[in-house]
Amino acid sequence: MRPSSRGKALGIERPLACVSHVFTPKAAALLVAVGVGLLFYFDREKKKLQEEKEKARASVTYGRPDVGGPFQLTDQHDKPFTDKDLLGSYSLVYFGFTNCPDICPDELDKMGQVVDAVEKALPESVPLRFVQPVFVSVDPARDSVEQIRRYALDFHPRLVALTGAYDAVKSTCKAYRVYFSSPPPKEGDTSLGEDYLVDHSIYFYLMDPDGKFVQAYGKIDTAADVTQRVLDEIAKWEKGERAENRYALQVRS
């Protein structure tokens, strides 16, 4: 006797209805939701790991990290601005572009929060409480002086916004170990139009009053975290632990 016949003979029916209705629309929707959730989770973790790798790559060297150096750009008031203008105070330097939809504004807002929090936390007797926020455009073809001037108005009142010729920007990014992908303008053409994408590193740097690299911060670092680290560094400087060549303090208004 075949198995199916034996089952009928014993009064046992195969649960066909149960088998055919296990994968319901609700179960399918749940499976899709779980899959999407896992995709977003792993994508976020991948970005965090990549960010940490970029920060480590910017910092790994023997002795003091070799980040920063001479540069010559133009600020939002169409005046020359060089690395010498940052000497004498701590500075937070971020590289981005004005057409960035969310990451750049978020990071610049965070920088502004840090600047205000550090100034508020320290007494007036500590001149180094004035941290200089700096924005460097990696998209000079679209970020003219007028464009960065308007853009800077949305952020901290002491923010210095910088742009310049493509080669000058590229040289500055190289000195700061910043990755960016905006294309150079074609020969004889000063612009590229509007139809292209820009990619870039998404962390900013703390530079000391001697213009030397201290730390890099990314999206995973909160304003409170960065503020505490900046305060710790200022405390070290005040104790003479990092004071190598003191420059006269130059606080830009």
Side-chain angles (χ1 to χ4, degrees):
M1 183 182 294
R2 292 181 301 175
S4 59
S5 299
R6 290 183 59 191
K8 290 180 180 180
L10 295 174
I12 302 174
E13 296 291 338
R14 295 179 62 189
L16 297 177
C18 292
V19 174
S20 62
H21 292 287
V22 167
F23 197 68
T24 63
K26 184 176 181 181
L30 179 61
L31 181 62
V32 171
V34 171
V36 171
L38 288 174
L39 180 63
F40 276 107
Y41 171 78
F42 286 116
D43 183 62
R44 184 182 63 181
E45 292 302 310
K46 180 180 178 181
K47 288 180 179 179
K48 284 184 179 180
L49 180 61
Q50 183 62 31
E51 182 178 313
E52 290 299 326
K53 286 182 178 179
E54 288 183 349
K55 289 170 65 176
R57 184 165 56 250
S59 302
V60 172
T61 186
Y62 294 99
R64 186 189 291 267
D66 186 20
V67 174
F71 66 81
Q72 295 183 346
L73 297 171
T74 303
D75 70 13
Q76 69 263 45
H77 306 297
D78 203 19
K79 296 180 179 179
F81 192 99
T82 74
D83 55 296
K84 303 297 183 184
D85 291 303
L86 294 178
L87 299 179
S89 64
Y90 278 93
S91 57
L92 291 171
V93 185
Y94 181 75
F95 292 76
F97 62 110
T98 64
N99 285 302
C100 181
D102 46 25
I103 296 177
C104 295
D106 289 347
E107 294 302 287
L108 289 173
D109 281 338
K110 182 165 67 178
M111 279 176 49
Q113 293 171 21
V114 172
V115 170
D116 287 338
V118 169
E119 182 177 345
K120 183 177 180 180
L122 295 175
E124 294 184 2
S125 59
V126 181
L128 288 177
R129 73 184 191 279
F130 294 107
V131 177
Q132 177 62 62
V134 180
F135 166 77
V136 182
S137 171
V138 298
D139 186 17
R142 291 184 294 195
D143 287 346
S144 63
V145 170
E146 177 59 21
Q147 176 69 9
I148 63 171
R149 185 192 68 79
R150 293 195 302 266
Y151 187 70
L153 295 175
D154 291 332
F155 302 102
H156 197 278
R158 288 212 313 273
L159 178 69
V160 171
L162 302 175
T163 189
Y166 180 86
D167 288 341
V169 169
K170 181 179 179 180
S171 176
T172 305
C173 289
K174 183 177 180 180
Y176 280 80
R177 298 191 182 185
V178 170
Y179 161 78
F180 78 105
S181 67
S182 62
K186 297 179 181 179
E187 186 175 353
D189 185 7
T190 58
S191 68
L192 293 166
E194 298 294 326
D195 190 20
Y196 64 91
L197 300 176
V198 177
D199 191 16
H200 62 93
S201 303
I202 55 173
Y203 46 81
F204 56 88
Y205 301 98
L206 175 64
M207 310 297 289
D208 75 12
D210 285 335
K212 296 177 180 178
F213 172 80
V214 180
Q215 288 179 328
Y217 311 109
K219 283 177 62 61
I220 62 175
D221 297 296
T222 67
D225 292 336
V226 179
T227 297
Q228 188 56 59
R229 294 174 190 174
V230 174
L231 289 173
D232 291 343
E233 287 300 322
I234 292 177
K236 291 179 182 179
W237 183 277
E238 288 298 305
K239 292 178 181 178
E241 296 178 19
R242 294 180 61 88
E244 299 173 0
N245 296 297
R246 298 269 182 144
Y247 289 89
L249 294 175
Q250 302 171 353
V251 179
R252 294 175 61 88
S253 58

